[in-house]
Amino acid sequence: MARPISKQLLRRPNPHSPLPQTHPLTTTFVSLDPSTTWPPPTITSLNPSAKVPILSITPPNSTTGNEGGEDGKNPIILTQSPAILEYLEETFPSRTPLLPRAPHEWQKRAKVRELVSLICTDIQPPTNQSCLLLINHLSTSLATSVLPESSSLAPFTPQNPSPGKLFAVQILTSGLAAYDALIAECAGKFSVGDEVTLADVCLVPAVLMAEGYGVDFNEERFARVRRVFEECMGMWEFREGSRREGEEKRHPCGLEQENPRVGSEERGAEE
Amino acid sequence: MARPISKQLLRRPNPHSPLPQTHPLTTTFVSLDPSTTWPPPTITSLNPSAKVPILSITPPNSTTGNEGGEDGKNPIILTQSPAILEYLEETFPSRTPLLPRAPHEWQKRAKVRELVSLICTDIQPPTNQSCLLLINHLSTSLATSVLPESSSLAPFTPQNPSPGKLFAVQILTSGLAAYDALIAECAGKFSVGDEVTLADVCLVPAVLMAEGYGVDFNEERFARVRRVFEECMGMWEFREGSRREGEEKRHPCGLEQENPRVGSEERGAEE
C-alpha cells in the first residue's frame, strides 16, 4: 500500500545558514487505487483527515542538535499542503526562496499566498476524489429514487459524464480562469515576477489535473496560465515532480476512468 | 448591494512598532441574498473569483510614508482568507500575535497553519454556497433526465434534504471531527496552547456554520472543538465578530431555507 520510493536530500540549503548542510528526505508513495482499501491504516493513524500529503518530521537530536537524530522523541506529523509548504520554506532557506522574504516584499509575498490559496482552497478540495465520489453517490441516490421500477441508470462514460466529473470540470475551469485574471498585473516569466514561487509550485499540478479532465488551455482566458505552465515545465525540477504525469494522464481524476483514484489526491502527495 | 457598515481602527499595534499607531479600516457588508443579482458588479471588478472576503489596501503615501495617504496610487487588492490573515498578522504586529512569531515556535506556527488550512481548504470551499448550488443543479439534472414524463421532483425541504445539503453536512461533520482529533495533543484553553491563534479565528465561523446545518456538537468526537469554541465565545472579540450569528442561524446555508445565501460566504466575509 505504501512503499518508500526514494531517499534524497531536501533542497540544498543556503551555505551561510547555521542549519545542517543536508536534510535526509524519504518519499513514500501511497496508492490511491480504489480497488484497494481506502484509507490505508497507515494514513488514518497519521492524519485524522485520511488525506495526503503528510510530512513526518524527526525532531532534532537533543544531544547533538542535528535533525534526524534518534533519541526517542516521537516524530512531528504535519498535514495540509499550504502548512507544509510554509514550514519547508522557513526551515530550509535557500538562495532561491519560493516565498519572497524581505520585509519590503510584503506585496509579492501576499500575492504568492493569495495564488497558493486560490489553488489550495478554491480548486483542489472541491475536486478531491472523495468529494467527487460523494457528489456521485448523492446524485445517483436521488436519480434512483425517482426511476421507474423496471429501469436502471445508464453507466457513466466519457460521453455520458457523471455529475462529479461535470462538477470538477466547472470548478477547474472557473478557478484557473480566475488565476489567469489575478496574475494579469504581477506575472513575469512566472506567476509573480520572474522567479519561481510557491504559486507556480501549486499551479503546475492543478493544470495537469485540468488537462486530464480535458480542459482546453488554448482558450484565450488561460493564455497567461498556459505561458507560465510552459515556463515551469521547461525546468527539470517541475518535470521531475511531474514524472508520473504520463501515468496520471492515462488515469485522470475522471470518475469514468478505470482507475479514478490516481489523480488529484496523488498529486496532493507531490505538492 | 454593498454598504459600509463601520469605520474602525485596525487592531491596536505594538506601541514599540515603528508603524503608525492607528490604521483606519472600513468594513463593507456584501449581501449574499440570492434574490439579488450575484455576483454584484463591484465584487467581480475586484475579484475575478467573485468571492468574498476582499481586502483593499491603500498604499502608504509616498511623501509622508503613512498608510492611508492619497497620492494617486491604486489600492492593492488582496483576496483569499488565508492570504489576508497572514498579511494582517505580519503587517500589524500586536502584543498578542495570532501566529506565534519566535523562531523556536516553529512547531506551534506549523500547527496553527495546519488547522487554518483544514478549515479554509477541507471545510469551507466545498460547503461554499456556489458549490452546493452546482451540486444541486447537476443532481437534479440527472434525476430529471430519468423521471417518467408525467412526474416531477419533490421539492427539497428540511425533511427531504437536497444532495447539496447532505453533502455540506457530511463535509462539515468529517472535517470538524478531524480538527478535534488533530488538536488532541496541542490544545490548551484554545486550539493551540492557551492563547488565541488564527486557528481559533477560522474555527469559530466553521462551527457556527455547522450548527446552522444541525450538526450535533454534543457528540463525543467534537468534545475538544466544543470546549475551544465555548472559550472563544467567552471573548467579546469573537462575540462581536459573530454578532450576526442570530440572523445567520435563522438563515443557515441549507439550500432548503428561505434565504440560503446568507451563510458560508457571508461568514467568509468576516474571517
Side-chain angles (χ1 to χ4, degrees), chain B residues 70-94:
Chain B
E70 295 284 347
D71 56 355
K73 282 192 197 173
N74 286 333
I76 294 150
I77 302 299
L78 190 58
T79 67
Q80 298 288 342
S81 305
I84 290 173
L85 291 173
E86 292 268 2
Y87 163 79
L88 291 175
E89 197 55 25
E90 71 175 42
T91 309
F92 301 100
S94 73

Side-chain angles (χ1 to χ4, degrees), chain A residues 166-215:
Chain A
L166 294 171
F167 178 83
V169 169
Q170 167 76 23
I171 297 289
L172 286 160
T173 304
S174 60
L176 288 168
Y179 190 103
D180 198 283
L182 273 174
I183 63 173
E185 289 181 22
C186 65
K189 274 171 69 181
F190 295 98
S191 297
V192 181
D194 290 328
E195 306 292 337
V196 173
T197 66
L198 291 179
D200 307 301
V201 169
C202 295
L203 176 66
V204 166
V207 170
L208 290 171
M209 194 203 299
E211 278 187 342
Y213 274 114
V215 172

Side-chain angles (χ1 to χ4, degrees), chain A residues 49 51 79-80 82-83 86-87 90 106 109 113-114 117-118 120-122 125 134 138-139 163 167 170 178, chain B residues 49 51 79-80 82-83 86-87 90 106-107 109 113-114 117-118 120-122 125 134 138-139 163 167 170 178:
Chain A
S49 293
K51 285 182 181 161
T79 67
Q80 298 288 342
E86 291 268 1
Y87 163 79
E90 72 175 41
W106 64 270
R109 190 160 49 245
R113 285 185 170 131
E114 177 185 51
S117 285
L118 190 148
C120 292
T121 69
D122 287 357
L134 181 56
L138 294 166
S139 302
F167 178 83
Q170 167 76 23
Chain B
S49 293
K51 286 182 179 158
T79 67
Q80 298 288 342
E86 292 268 2
Y87 163 79
E90 71 175 42
W106 64 270
Q107 196 175 338
R109 190 161 48 245
R113 285 186 170 132
E114 178 185 49
S117 284
L118 191 148
C120 293
T121 69
D122 286 358
L134 181 56
L138 293 167
S139 303
F167 178 85
Q170 167 76 22

Side-chain angles (χ1 to χ4, degrees), chain A residues 3-271:
Chain A
R3 58 187 163 85
I5 48 165
S6 65
K7 284 203 181 229
Q8 51 188 295
L9 295 180
L10 187 61
R11 193 185 303 179
R12 193 159 63 113
N14 185 337
H16 306 294
S17 155
L19 288 166
Q21 287 299 294
T22 56
H23 305 274
L25 171 73
T26 304
T27 323
T28 302
F29 174 74
V30 179
S31 168
L32 303 178
D33 183 339
S35 65
T36 60
T37 313
W38 183 262
T42 44
I43 295 297
T44 321
S45 68
L46 292 172
N47 183 5
S49 293
K51 285 182 181 161
V52 288
I54 299 169
L55 183 67
S56 171
I57 305 160
T58 309
N61 186 306
S62 56
T63 49
T64 68
N66 290 330
E67 266 194 272
E70 293 285 345
D71 57 353
K73 282 192 197 171
N74 287 332
I76 294 151
I77 302 299
L78 190 58
T79 67
Q80 298 288 342
S81 305
I84 291 174
L85 291 173
E86 291 268 1
Y87 163 79
L88 292 176
E89 196 56 24
E90 72 175 41
T91 309
F92 301 99
S94 73
R95 273 176 288 191
T96 50
L98 295 174
L99 188 64
R101 264 199 296 270
H104 74 272
E105 293 178 299
W106 64 270
Q107 196 175 337
K108 273 192 173 179
R109 190 160 49 245
K111 195 75 193 174
V112 170
R113 285 185 170 131
E114 177 185 51
L115 295 168
V116 167
S117 285
L118 190 148
I119 301 282
C120 292
T121 69
D122 287 357
I123 295 181
Q124 204 281 329
T127 55
N128 187 296
Q129 201 67 23
S130 57
C131 275
L132 303 184
L133 290 171
L134 181 56
I135 291 169
N136 274 358
H137 169 72
L138 294 166
S139 302
T140 52
S141 296
L142 177 66
T144 310
S145 73
V146 298
L147 259 184
E149 256 184 45
S150 55
S151 323
S152 61
L153 276 183
F156 297 126
T157 62
Q159 289 71 40
N160 177 37
S162 67
K165 183 172 179 182
L166 294 171
F167 178 83
V169 169
Q170 167 76 23
I171 297 289
L172 286 160
T173 304
S174 60
L176 288 168
Y179 190 103
D180 198 283
L182 273 174
I183 63 173
E185 289 181 22
C186 65
K189 274 171 69 181
F190 295 98
S191 297
V192 181
D194 290 328
E195 306 292 337
V196 173
T197 66
L198 291 179
D200 307 301
V201 169
C202 295
L203 176 66
V204 166
V207 170
L208 290 171
M209 194 203 299
E211 278 187 342
Y213 274 114
V215 172
D216 179 7
F217 281 97
N218 288 316
E219 288 181 28
E220 189 54 27
R221 59 179 165 169
F222 299 125
R224 297 179 201 98
V225 159
R226 189 178 64 239
R227 191 179 48 68
V228 169
F229 174 76
E230 281 163 8
E231 191 74 36
C232 291
M233 294 308 276
M235 295 173 66
W236 75 265
E237 292 90 339
F238 280 99
R239 286 198 305 276
E240 173 63 14
S242 311
R243 74 197 137 73
R244 279 177 295 192
E245 186 198 348
E247 184 192 338
E248 289 172 357
K249 277 198 169 168
R250 284 196 304 278
H251 305 292
C253 322
L255 306 192
E256 287 72 78
Q257 304 293 329
E258 225 187 313
N259 193 10
R261 267 222 168 97
V262 178
S264 60
E265 288 170 312
E266 179 161 295
R267 283 195 194 92
E270 290 171 0
E271 276 183 341

